[in-house]
Amino acid sequence: MKRIRIFLLLTLLLLGCVQTPDTEYIVSKADGVLEQKLAASPVPIVLEWDEPISSASMEALPSEAPASPTPAPVRFPDRWEETRTLGSHLTVRIDADIRQKPDGVYPVYRTASAAVTEADVARYAETLLLEQPVSETADEPTKAELTEEFKTFLQEVDAQREWVAQGRPSNADRDETVWSEEEVEQISADYAASIAAAPEQNESHPFTGYRDLGPRVFHHLTLASGEQAELHWDETYVSIGRGGATFYPKSEYEFTLSHPEEDDPFAKLWKPVTLSYTDAALTLTERLRALGLDSFTIAEAEEAMQISGRTVTQSGWIFTLARDYTGYPHQLRTNAATRFDYEEEPAAMNRPINSETIRAFVAQDGVRYFEYNSPKTVLGLENANVSLLSYSEVQDRLWKALEYGLASYNERGYDVSFTVYEAVLTVRTLRVRNSDEYYEMPCWVFPFTRTRPDGVYGQDHVAKSAVILNAVDGSIVRPETR
């Protein structure tokens, strides 16, 4: 049926809009449109139906605008199917289910980086390890190890100098970066200082408290029961675990079963997981609540084995969690494709920063591994329901981006096809202009790849390359950086 748009005018509010000429690819971040929309009160939203307007549906509309603006839901189609030829040799197919917030309301939050402290580390370790360590061994690089590293560096310097003397012959597998003499001198001086300060060997000491375990060092702990644990942290990261930090997921095991030619020594060690997902998730939820991290929700979960060296220590569930910004769909393993990168001022404005995530492994005896990356502090609500680009504007922006980013394929002289196989209206952390703070911003994520004959795309535990659009102003979100 023909799509009919019904506008619910809850309030009159004039907003600037991004003018996008047909030939324009880049949306300017300097025009202030994003800030105008974020500063605006909740605005009227277009609701879309796949059915004709009836008298009953018209009578259901409010007869007059309410006294104050009220967030109204926005709905996008559940699926997008479309194919276009972009030039003489390039075909792009969109074959994607659209994931969006169930309530149709898209808030923007303001956040800031939160530094991990000694107090945080102590609280996490005491809650998760459950028993007191009796000794600690710091795994610092020794003088001998650093000396060997320095020798390797000098060998690489000599190889670079020889390559330059030969006229820099082309080699596709070669890293063509060349250190300057000043850089070589500085790196050598840094090595000399590190070697002088390094211990001859790492020794065990009686455990004196978690607050004494400094950052950027791997601390090996012996617990009262004799079990080994490991702790490592810095200002942006903390990991605490028993039994090792290596995990072998069921998806990798199943891949090996279907590809017996793969040399996978761990497949034969696979042990069925007897712990149910429900029990594992409940155990994890209780621990996170005790840590004050109950605003995180599970984004990914998979059966896995915990491995130390070549020994399986436990079977259980490996979880990845993200902060819940009121129901945004999670989309973690997706990065902005580098082919859509471009130069724009200010350079850092539209680059995301590392995602705030928690990774945890849960077995029968509790949470055996905990890793917290890029912690954030939520400063407040920037906009309760920001005005988004319409569906037609999103479509237009995506096609312009694809035509720009994939244009080089038309110059290769043979036909090539790409497929956009997923569409997710999720949240990404973007920098606030001229600030150290961030927006948790609604963004469209469109993973794509070469068209596959079998039509199977987007394995959950494999990193995906995507076009990412800011859903508020239509600008391209550039490759991720810290």
Side-chain angles (χ1 to χ4, degrees), residues 92-409:
V92 177
R93 179 184 180 216
I94 297 177
D95 184 12
D97 291 332
I98 297 177
R99 289 200 289 133
Q100 55 195 297
K101 285 189 76 207
D103 62 4
V105 176
Y106 292 90
V108 176
Y109 290 85
R110 185 176 284 234
T111 61
S113 294
V116 176
T117 66
E118 293 92 338
D120 293 329
V121 173
R123 180 164 52 88
Y124 296 155
E126 288 167 356
T127 302
L128 295 166
L129 292 181
L130 303 179
E131 55 178 312
Q132 189 80 349
V134 295
S135 66
E136 178 262 330
T137 304
D139 188 9
E140 298 184 69
T142 63
K143 290 183 184 295
E145 291 170 339
L146 288 174
T147 299
E148 289 302 313
E149 281 188 20
F150 185 35
K151 289 179 180 178
T152 301
F153 167 71
L154 294 177
Q155 291 170 357
E156 293 175 355
V157 170
D158 289 341
Q160 284 184 359
R161 288 169 175 164
E162 182 178 356
W163 177 68
V164 171
Q166 293 173 352
R168 303 185 184 225
S170 178
N171 184 340
D173 295 328
R174 182 186 182 86
D175 180 359
E176 297 188 357
T177 301
V178 176
W179 290 300
S180 67
E181 292 302 319
E182 291 79 9
E183 289 174 324
V184 171
E185 290 181 7
Q186 182 59 56
I187 295 172
S188 298
D190 292 341
Y191 265 114
S194 297
I195 291 170
E200 293 289 347
Q201 61 182 10
N202 289 302
E203 298 179 353
S204 295
H205 305 278
F207 179 76
T208 57
Y210 291 112
R211 290 174 183 258
D212 296 331
L213 304 182
R216 293 175 290 280
V217 174
F218 284 93
H219 299 279
H220 297 281
L221 307 174
T222 300
L223 304 180
S225 64
E227 187 174 18
Q228 299 298 304
E230 188 175 90
L231 185 151
H232 180 245
W233 70 282
D234 62 24
E235 291 78 6
T236 65
Y237 161 92
V238 58
S239 69
I240 300 166
R242 300 175 284 140
T246 302
F247 302 96
Y248 182 80
K250 186 175 183 180
S251 58
E252 194 165 333
Y253 167 69
E254 291 177 337
F255 177 84
T256 300
L257 292 183
S258 60
H259 297 76
E261 71 279 5
E262 295 290 327
D263 183 16
D264 184 352
F266 294 112
K268 63 176 68 73
L269 302 177
W270 178 260
K271 297 178 181 178
V273 177
T274 58
L275 178 66
S276 71
Y277 168 86
T278 301
D279 290 342
L282 179 60
T283 296
L284 178 58
T285 300
E286 290 174 346
R287 290 294 88 195
L288 292 180
R289 185 179 297 117
L291 294 173
L293 298 173
D294 50 353
S295 60
F296 286 76
T297 57
I298 296 170
E300 296 176 355
E302 186 176 9
E303 296 178 30
M305 294 190 304
Q306 185 182 33
I307 296 172
S308 179
R310 296 234 166 190
T311 303
V312 176
T313 55
Q314 288 279 355
S315 293
W317 290 83
I318 187 75
F319 292 94
T320 303
L321 303 96
R323 194 181 291 275
D324 180 17
Y325 291 103
T326 64
Y328 277 94
H330 293 307
Q331 179 70 303
L332 297 181
R333 298 177 186 271
T334 307
N335 299 315
T338 56
R339 66 175 60 250
F340 299 95
D341 202 4
Y342 55 86
E343 293 302 321
E344 180 195 22
E345 293 296 336
M349 176 64 185
N350 216 39
R351 290 189 188 274
I353 66 165
N354 291 353
S355 300
E356 180 185 26
T357 57
I358 291 174
R359 191 165 178 251
F361 177 74
V362 182
Q364 290 285 0
D365 59 351
V367 179
R368 294 184 61 82
Y369 182 78
F370 169 86
E371 176 186 297
Y372 188 9
N373 291 286
S374 302
K376 304 288 188 300
T377 297
V378 180
L379 302 177
L381 187 63
E382 192 76 13
N383 189 299
N385 186 30
V386 70
S387 176
L388 303 184
L389 296 179
S390 69
Y391 183 47
S392 60
E393 289 174 307
V394 172
Q395 292 176 303
D396 181 62
R397 293 302 306 164
L398 178 60
W399 282 118
K400 281 185 168 68
L402 290 168
E403 186 171 15
Y404 169 90
L406 302 177
S408 62
Y409 286 94

Side-chain angles (χ1 to χ4, degrees), residues 107-109 322-325 328-332 355 424-430 439-445:
V108 176
Y109 290 85
R323 194 181 291 275
D324 180 17
Y325 291 103
Y328 277 94
H330 293 307
Q331 179 70 303
L332 297 181
S355 300
V424 186
L425 182 47
T426 183
V427 63
R428 287 288 171 117
T429 305
L430 304 180
Y439 294 129
E440 304 302 327
M441 182 71 64
C443 290
W444 283 99
V445 178

